[in-house]
Amino acid sequence: MAQPEQLLYSKEHEWVRIEGDHAVVGITEYAQHSLGDIVYVELPKVGTHVRQFTNIGVVESVKAVSDLFTPISGEVVQINDALETDPAAVNRDPYGDGWFLRLKLADTSEQKNLLNARDYEKLVAE
Amino acid sequence: MNQTARRTALYDEHRKLGGRMVEFGGFEMPVQYAGVLKEHDAVRKRAGLFDLSHMGQFRLSGERVAEWADTLTTNAVATMKPLQARYNLFCNERGGTHDDTIFYRLADDRWLLVVNASNAEKMWSIVSGHPGGVHAENRHGEDALVAIQGPMSVAMLQPHVDVDLASMRYYFCEQTEVEGIPAVIARTGYTGEDGFELFVDGAYASNVWNALLRAHARDGLEPCGLGARDVLRLEAGMPLYGHELTEEITPLQGGQAWAVKLSKPQFIGREALAEQTQRDEHPRIAGILMSGRAPAREGYAVFLAERRVGEIRSGSFAPSVDGGANIATALLERDAATVGTALVVEIRGARHDAHVVPLPFYKRSR
């Protein structure tokens, strides 16, 4: 499965797009497919400080509740409000309309703990 | 995957169709193929095809099966006519539920008893442990069960059978053939839609499965997994063993009082159930509608004002309720279980509004 090359990835199947001192976070195509039909997303409030690889919310499919981890540390500056009424956007467009939140980066060196597209492709191929 | 999980006769078909396999009731079963919502939609609007071969099938025979079963179960058995099917429950002495089942009277002296997969071993020891002149044969894992459910079930199944399906009554069955294969066809199901359950020898299960899919996939017949089945049954207000019924939850508590015949002189659990009916103080299963978008899930605590009054037993997003809503069942103290009662469900430490609604959540238009 090909992955967008401009993104970084976590082993928990989240993606990060670095935009200056901000990062946009979502879950990968592989994650949305594994979860199935998503019916609810619970995200941290704007202003919350989150730490890399910690639990920051939940993603619920019809039948299951899954923890959501942040792939990078920072302060939440925006969440995707549209997911409240249209959580299926995560299934339809996980790298676009289905984004989760925008962080103000706390520590740019954390990016070394993430995978590039090629290494993430290898992970999901296993 | 559990190394010891068994496979149904349709395992290879599930893999070919891209079914996502999970362990359930000791079998590797498809939880979904195309997706729970798509499969759910097919059953409500067209039809879905289910493999239920993991369920336990016992063949019972003898002159005295009805009398024997009437002492072991809560509902009436002796009054069943040949070719009739009836929902029934086996209880323990405390009135708690061993299993909820369906009896099919195939002939005067021949019966089919279908039990839940998760209870099949327990139920076999109960059935075989009460001999009473009844011959019992355990066909669990040998005989297959394929269900077609949805408003187009009659139209899709009719070309494959000789009996006139439209004139078959709900909760009746026929001994006939499907695609020339000996089968019991019953107008029963677990989805809240019209439909049929087809009992065939496992050796021929894929013939039946593939014939139906080949003929009707283009008209919208979808293979459906356990995920869609659970949403469909919850919307239809039907209990799932382990959730609304357990060894601790009686049929009266689980909303199945209609299937408890205290007028029968004697059956296991009768005294406890009679006392529970008399006192009418027991916690009971109620339908819950969440006000917001967060789904209630099994085990979440339920409050009436500040008092904890029970817990969620099943919960899901329900596409057929109010155009898409979160529904649940909860085992609630009596005074909290009245329709209209405003409740609070605790979800990850936060309070979410809900209220008690009548069951079922969904009723098809007939």
Side-chain angles (χ1 to χ4, degrees):
Chain A
M1 191 191 298
Q3 305 294 333
E5 284 193 1
Q6 70 279 21
L7 305 181
L8 295 171
Y9 300 87
S10 76
K11 290 178 180 169
E12 300 283 357
H13 308 288
E14 290 94 14
W15 57 260
V16 185
R17 187 172 66 239
I18 304 294
E19 294 182 352
D21 61 349
H22 280 186
V24 179
V25 170
I27 64 171
T28 66
E29 168 64 27
Y30 174 89
Q32 74 75 17
H33 184 258
S34 306
L35 290 166
D37 297 315
I38 292 166
V39 297
Y40 182 65
V41 177
E42 195 167 275
L43 298 171
K45 289 191 169 56
V46 170
T48 310
H49 291 263
V50 298
R51 232 178 47 244
Q52 190 176 37
F53 304 141
T54 61
N55 180 6
I56 58 163
V58 298
V59 183
E60 301 199 27
S61 65
V62 180
K63 292 313 303 166
V65 184
S66 304
D67 285 328
L68 174 67
F69 299 90
T70 178
I72 201 149
S73 302
E75 179 187 348
V76 179
V77 293
Q78 192 185 1
I79 61 173
N80 185 357
D81 291 327
L83 298 184
E84 197 178 318
T85 50
D86 184 23
V90 181
N91 293 118
R92 285 196 312 271
D93 190 10
Y95 300 115
D97 291 345
W99 66 280
F100 281 10
L101 44 83
R102 175 180 287 271
L103 299 170
K104 187 173 191 310
L105 287 173
D107 179 359
T108 49
S109 74
E110 282 179 351
Q111 293 171 37
K112 69 178 187 307
N113 303 329
L114 297 170
L115 306 172
N116 63 26
R118 223 181 39 194
D119 290 340
Y120 181 66
E121 274 164 38
K122 279 187 207 149
L123 178 80
V124 297
E126 277 170 14
Chain B
M1 192 77 64
N2 181 346
Q3 292 272 314
T4 61
R6 299 164 72 186
R7 292 174 175 183
T8 73
L10 293 169
Y11 177 83
D12 290 342
E13 308 307 326
H14 302 320
R15 297 306 298 256
K16 278 185 226 161
L17 290 164
R20 193 172 296 171
M21 308 305 284
V22 299
E23 201 258 320
F24 183 82
F27 284 77
E28 284 183 61
M29 298 301 292
V31 65
Q32 66 163 66
Y33 306 84
V36 173
L37 295 180
K38 187 175 180 200
E39 295 163 27
H40 170 281
D41 189 65
V43 174
R44 290 279 182 249
K45 294 183 183 146
R46 302 179 302 279
L49 196 63
F50 297 81
D51 177 18
L52 307 174
S53 307
H54 60 309
M55 299 195 73
Q57 298 186 38
F58 305 154
R59 296 274 178 158
L60 309 172
S61 57
E63 299 292 323
R64 294 188 41 78
V65 171
E67 292 74 16
W68 168 87
D70 265 328
T71 67
L72 297 176
T73 64
T74 63
N75 205 349
V77 183
T79 55
M80 289 172 65
K81 300 179 186 76
L83 301 181
Q84 195 172 6
R86 191 170 281 173
Y87 180 76
N88 207 337
L89 302 106
F90 288 72
C91 288
N92 58 42
E93 292 288 353
R94 294 172 287 115
T97 312
H98 280 322
D99 199 14
D100 65 333
T101 67
I102 295 181
F103 279 78
Y104 297 84
R105 187 167 203 169
L106 304 180
D108 263 334
D109 60 350
R110 285 190 304 110
W111 302 72
L112 169 62
L113 171 59
V114 177
V115 305
N116 280 296
S118 54
N119 289 330
E121 281 182 33
K122 174 177 75 180
M123 289 306 297
W124 177 247
S125 74
I126 288 168
V127 165
S128 57
H130 288 86
V134 170
H135 178 73
E137 184 190 357
N138 188 348
R139 300 288 299 165
H140 190 209
E142 306 294 326
D143 286 347
L145 171 52
V146 173
I148 181 168
Q149 298 276 301
M152 287 174 70
S153 296
V154 169
M156 287 181 178
L157 184 57
Q158 188 61 74
H160 307 272
V161 299
D162 287 332
V163 294
D164 178 31
L165 294 174
S167 66
M168 223 170 130
R169 282 183 287 168
Y170 187 54
Y171 266 74
F172 273 82
C173 61
E174 291 282 350
Q175 286 212 87
T176 178
E177 294 182 343
V178 179
E179 290 284 310
I181 295 152
V184 172
I185 301 181
R187 201 163 193 170
T188 49
Y190 192 54
T191 59
E193 296 300 331
D194 189 15
F196 299 88
E197 297 186 303
L198 316 173
F199 300 89
V200 295
D201 189 311
Y204 301 102
S206 57
N207 300 43
V208 172
W209 177 269
N210 288 324
L212 288 169
L213 272 187
R214 256 199 303 270
H216 305 295
R218 75 178 74 89
D219 307 323
L221 179 67
E222 283 277 340
C224 296
L226 296 178
R229 182 170 159 86
D230 191 41
V231 178
L232 291 158
R233 73 89 196 167
L234 183 61
E235 288 180 338
M238 294 168 165
L240 173 62
Y241 193 86
H243 297 259
E244 288 76 24
L245 298 167
T246 68
E247 292 285 344
E248 279 67 50
I249 303 177
T250 72
L252 303 176
Q253 295 181 279
Q256 308 308 310
W258 65 277
V260 177
K261 305 297 185 213
L262 294 172
S263 54
K264 289 202 299 182
Q266 188 258 319
F267 60 84
I268 296 172
R270 185 182 176 285
E271 275 180 43
L273 293 168
E275 194 192 324
Q276 196 168 58
T277 302
Q278 179 74 29
R279 294 168 70 100
D280 195 26
E281 288 172 348
H282 50 275
R284 58 202 66 191
I285 291 289
I288 301 281
L289 182 65
M290 301 298 296
S291 306
R293 296 192 163 267
R297 304 288 186 181
E298 185 180 1
Y300 290 0
V302 181
F303 295 84
L304 174 61
E306 297 305 314
R307 177 165 59 99
R308 186 183 165 134
V309 290
E311 67 165 32
I312 301 293
R313 298 299 305 171
S314 297
S316 177
F317 177 72
S320 300
V321 178
D322 298 347
N326 289 302
I327 61 169
T329 61
L331 186 64
L332 298 177
E333 288 177 19
R334 181 190 160 178
D335 67 318
T338 314
V339 168
T341 307
L343 299 169
V344 167
V345 180
E346 189 177 281
I347 302 177
R348 293 176 289 278
R351 295 165 65 87
H352 292 258
D353 290 335
H355 65 279
V356 179
V357 294
L359 291 172
F361 300 99
Y362 166 85
K363 216 169 184 173
R364 73 183 151 114
S365 46
R366 291 181 195 238

